[in-house]
Amino acid sequence: MPTRVPGPTIDTTASWSPLSLFQLFFTTSVVRTIICNTNANAAKRLQSGLKFAWIPLTMRDFYIFLAILLYSGLVSVHERGTYWRKEWPYNFRFPGDTMTRDRFEAIMWSLHLSKPEDDEANNTKKGTAEYDRLFKIKPLYTELTNACKSHFQPYQNISIYERMVASKARISTQQYMKAKPTKWGYKLFVLADSHTAYTWNFVVYEGKSVFTPGQGLSYTSVMDWMPFPLLGGGYTLFVDNFYSSPALFEELRRRNTGACGTIRTNRIGFPQTKRNNLPKKAERGDLRWIRKGNVLFVKWMDTREVTMCSTVHEAFSGQTVKRKVKEGGVWQTKTVPVPDAVADYNRSMGGVDLSDALIGYCSVHHKTMKWYKTFLFHFVDIAVVNSFLLHKELHKNNSTKPYTQKKFREKLLTEMVSFAKQSEPQPSPRPPPTSCMPEYYGDDASKGRKNCRRCLDAGIPKVKTPVYCRKCQVPLCLTSKRNCFKDWHDSKF
């Protein structure tokens, strides 16, 4: 059993709203760092000569921006600009009532996670060992992984697998994986809790060049990225045949961690005896097993031959599964024996599929030309899903019914908008002016011109003026040839 108590490590007696759970992962310090670096990036773009409307990003605007991202996962349209269309059949009230489209696009365009000047310093190190390929996502990446590990302790069964984040950006960290539903993108090694599907730790794969030679990527990706001092012992790790090897399983056992997974028969250390092979015409449920030291190897016939490796299982304890088979031209359900390792592997790796399904459901992913923004969207998805899973665990402890993920996202969106409106101090209203004085509509005499009120009353249309009375709020001509400002006030008072 795990040496540490599994479950949420936060105060389970407190009342946690969806937003307060989300802010465990997107902390105030992280949000302020993103806001500061986004403002710095926008200033850099403006200084370089790019022309776009920019107002410094605030806490209010950033949370509205996040809320729109969540909304886009709940309400899908073909083009992002459709969210701001007011005519039927679209006529969305949100997000147009809280943020203009131009403001959202300006934030999306300038969004930045690291300091622009530090990016330039890192770019000068390209081609050297000091260059950091993931530098642009490090401020959020590091904080999020620490938060994932801090707020939840996994249950007994855990699994490491590869997750793909969809992207076709042509950079060195992009991968192609033929067997994955998402074939092009960035690869993450994910350590997930099999019971809840909580993403407990993850590492972005940077390429083979960052790995030191030795046992290989499948060995290092497990040993280097399982923080044993923090995780503790007593766990059973489930992996697929990319990771499984006798050397890895033996080392995990020495560290008080069991292991189970499918394995390739050409792995170093796999018993190469032919006496224990399944017959050529093996029937469903036939199995063979052999033990080498502390490691059990099992071959089992399902629709095809399955080869397993484990340090925590018996070969067979009488478990069975139901399978549909065709006998005499008729399909019927048949009960077949199944090795313990296969039964537990199927149950535990199901948590992996659930983890990907939860993150893919209502994802906030948007197409972008910048690779680090793709990661930002995925990090938001991880934070939302982990918050939802903490919410479920807290309600399970209290024996109350939790929200569905859709309802949880809706509540989180609502709370984000409310939090945004409260996060900025409301400016105190200016006292109304007490005297009639001329002022300009725009910054100078060339902008914001309106039709003169006195000229309109006199039947003279389309005489525009940038001058208005600050008390009466009436546009009036004020030139060397025409002083409607004076004449209008003389006739009124």
Side-chain angles (χ1 to χ4, degrees):
M1 296 299 293
T3 54
R4 296 176 182 167
V5 179
T9 57
I10 57 179
D11 183 3
T12 57
T13 62
S15 178
W16 293 89
S17 66
L19 180 60
S20 62
L21 289 171
F22 178 81
Q23 288 174 331
L24 292 174
F25 303 94
F26 268 66
T27 62
T28 302
S29 62
V30 166
V31 170
R32 284 178 176 164
T33 298
I34 296 173
I35 291 172
C36 181
N37 293 334
T38 299
N39 284 327
N41 188 48
K44 178 185 173 184
R45 288 170 177 268
L46 290 169
Q47 192 175 6
S48 67
L50 295 174
K51 294 183 179 180
F52 62 101
W54 180 254
I55 301 170
L57 185 62
T58 62
M59 186 76 74
R60 176 191 182 281
D61 284 352
F62 184 74
Y63 268 94
I64 292 293
F65 177 81
L66 282 180
I68 294 173
L69 289 182
L70 283 178
Y71 182 78
S72 68
L74 291 167
V75 181
S76 179
V77 295
H78 291 292
E79 295 179 356
R80 194 160 62 206
T82 306
Y83 290 116
W84 282 268
R85 291 180 63 177
K86 295 298 182 184
E87 67 274 12
W88 190 89
Y90 305 103
N91 56 316
F92 298 113
R93 290 181 58 190
F94 184 84
D97 290 351
T98 53
M99 179 177 285
T100 65
R101 177 186 174 185
D102 289 347
R103 178 59 171 162
F104 179 85
E105 294 296 345
I107 296 172
M108 180 72 83
W109 191 33
S110 301
L111 201 60
H112 216 70
L113 306 182
S114 57
K115 291 182 179 179
E117 59 268 25
D118 291 345
D119 289 342
E120 294 176 1
N122 183 58
N123 288 336
T124 60
K125 301 174 185 176
K126 275 188 177 180
T128 69
E130 296 179 356
Y131 176 67
D132 188 351
R133 295 181 182 182
L134 304 179
F135 186 82
K136 288 188 176 183
I137 64 171
K138 278 294 172 67
L140 179 55
Y141 174 32
T142 306
E143 291 291 330
L144 183 59
T145 52
N146 289 338
C148 290
K149 290 180 282 190
S150 298
H151 302 308
F152 183 81
Q153 187 69 22
Y155 291 92
Q156 186 170 23
N157 295 339
I158 56 178
S159 54
I160 285 181
Y161 70 103
E162 297 161 312
R163 177 187 294 164
M164 293 292 287
V165 180
S167 175
K168 288 192 176 181
R170 295 184 178 182
I171 65 169
S172 58
T173 54
Q174 187 208 48
Q175 300 290 312
Y176 174 75
M177 297 189 71
K178 183 179 179 180
K180 292 284 186 180
T182 301
K183 293 178 172 35
W184 290 97
Y186 310 113
K187 182 163 69 175
L188 276 67
F189 293 103
V190 179
L191 173 60
D193 175 59
S194 299
H195 177 66
T196 62
Y198 182 94
T199 299
W200 193 78
N201 191 19
F202 61 92
V203 179
V204 178
Y205 178 58
E206 301 180 51
K208 292 182 180 179
S209 61
V210 301
F211 291 93
T212 55
Q215 295 280 3
L217 175 61
S218 61
Y219 185 96
T220 12
S221 59
V222 175
M223 297 308 300
D224 290 355
W225 300 332
M226 275 187 70
F228 291 100
L230 180 62
L231 185 62
Y235 285 94
T236 300
L237 176 68
F238 290 85
V239 290
D240 62 23
N241 59 20
F242 174 78
Y243 305 94
S244 297
S245 69
L248 173 64
F249 283 23
E250 288 281 11
E251 179 59 30
L252 288 171
R253 190 175 185 279
R254 282 192 286 271
R255 297 184 183 232
N256 196 28
T257 300
C260 175
T262 54
I263 188 171
R264 300 168 185 173
T265 56
N266 60 356
R267 283 283 191 189
I268 296 174
F270 188 89
Q272 296 302 317
T273 175
K274 294 184 179 180
R275 288 187 304 170
N276 261 28
N277 283 351
L278 288 166
K280 288 185 178 180
K281 293 185 178 180
E283 296 183 1
R284 264 190 170 172
D286 286 354
L287 67 94
R288 299 289 185 273
W289 64 271
I290 192 170
R291 193 176 290 277
K292 186 178 180 181
N294 298 309
V295 185
L296 171 73
F297 300 89
V298 178
K299 287 185 177 181
W300 177 64
M301 178 57 70
D302 194 15
T303 51
R304 60 183 178 83
E305 186 178 291
V306 178
T307 309
M308 301 292 299
C309 177
S310 175
T311 59
V312 293
H313 289 101
E314 300 177 44
F316 181 67
S317 65
Q319 293 193 61
T320 59
V321 291
K322 293 186 181 297
R323 292 288 188 267
K324 284 187 176 292
V325 295
K326 195 173 186 179
E327 293 183 355
V330 179
W331 286 98
Q332 54 185 325
T333 302
K334 186 178 179 181
T335 300
V336 297
V338 61
D340 294 8
V342 174
D344 284 355
Y345 176 84
N346 287 338
R347 278 192 292 266
S348 296
M349 292 303 283
V352 167
D353 298 332
L354 178 59
S355 178
D356 280 350
L358 289 172
I359 286 177
Y361 179 74
C362 296
S363 172
V364 305
H365 181 79
H366 284 246
K367 288 184 179 180
T368 175
M369 299 293 288
K370 301 297 183 181
W371 66 271
Y372 55 89
K373 294 179 186 177
T374 299
F375 277 108
L376 170 63
F377 301 142
H378 187 66
F379 292 165
V380 171
D381 281 330
I382 290 175
V384 172
V385 170
N386 277 0
S387 303
F388 167 66
L389 295 174
L390 284 179
H391 165 78
K392 286 183 67 177
E393 287 296 300
L394 291 171
H395 278 263
K396 184 175 73 174
N397 293 337
N398 298 332
S399 300
T400 54
K401 187 177 180 180
Y403 294 134
T404 62
Q405 188 187 177
K406 183 172 181 288
K407 187 67 175 178
F408 181 87
R409 286 176 177 264
E410 291 170 352
K411 288 286 185 181
L412 177 58
L413 194 159
T414 304
E415 290 176 9
M416 275 186 177
V417 175
S418 299
F419 178 81
K421 291 178 178 178
Q422 297 168 9
S423 62
E424 290 294 319
Q426 297 297 322
S428 55
R430 294 175 60 185
T434 57
S435 59
C436 295
M437 291 290 291
E439 287 190 357
Y440 288 122
Y441 279 117
D443 297 331
D444 51 41
S446 62
K447 296 179 182 178
R449 302 168 69 88
K450 294 187 178 182
N451 290 325
C452 173
R453 172 68 64 82
R454 186 172 183 276
C455 291
L456 281 175
D457 293 345
I460 309 172
K462 296 184 180 179
V463 179
K464 292 189 175 293
T465 175
V467 178
Y468 72 100
C469 174
R470 69 174 188 177
K471 180 180 179 182
C472 304
Q473 295 292 307
V474 175
L476 295 163
C477 297
L478 182 57
T479 66
S480 58
K481 295 182 179 180
R482 179 181 293 154
N483 194 342
C484 290
F485 188 91
K486 175 179 177 295
D487 295 342
W488 190 83
H489 283 92
D490 287 347
S491 65
K492 185 176 180 181
F493 300 109

